[in-house]
């Protein structure tokens, strides 16, 4: 392996709106991952939930589709 440091490509700064959008997206993704991590930690500590306490996949799908239908379309900058 080479002892030379890896070349870092030049970066182009973002305008304020693009930077704010990137930060908001990162925060949203971080929150989703935190929720997933907490669910996995709960399963590891307590086992799988019983099927009787769960939500049918059809109901979850329909609720998610309704949520998606109500979202505002994403703006392309």
């Amino acid at each position: 392996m080479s002892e030379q440091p890896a070349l870092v490509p030049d970066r182009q700064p973002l305008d304020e709106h693009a930077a704010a959008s990137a930060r908001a997206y990162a925060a949203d993704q971080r929150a989703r991952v935190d929720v997933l991590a907490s669910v996995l930690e709960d399963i590891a500590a307590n086992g799988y939930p019983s099927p009787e306490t769960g939500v049918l996949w059809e109901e979850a799908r329909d609720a998610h589709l309704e949520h998606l239908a109500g979202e505002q379309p994403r703006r392309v900058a």
Side-chain angles (χ1 to χ4, degrees):
M1 294 196 88
S2 173
E3 294 295 323
Q4 297 175 350
L7 295 175
V8 177
D10 291 336
R11 293 186 175 226
Q12 298 176 0
L14 299 175
D15 63 42
E16 289 182 32
H17 177 72
S21 293
R23 286 186 190 98
Y25 182 75
D28 178 60
Q29 293 303 305
R30 186 172 290 117
R32 290 174 187 238
V33 170
D34 286 346
V35 168
L36 175 60
S38 68
V39 168
L40 294 174
E41 288 170 347
D42 179 67
I43 290 171
N46 303 306
Y48 290 111
S50 69
E52 294 80 26
T53 63
V55 176
L56 295 175
W57 74 268
E58 294 93 343
E59 292 175 13
R61 177 202 59 208
D62 292 345
H64 185 65
L65 290 174
E66 286 180 27
H67 172 75
L68 290 176
E71 281 187 356
Q72 296 295 322
R74 292 183 187 257
R75 288 182 37 195
V76 177

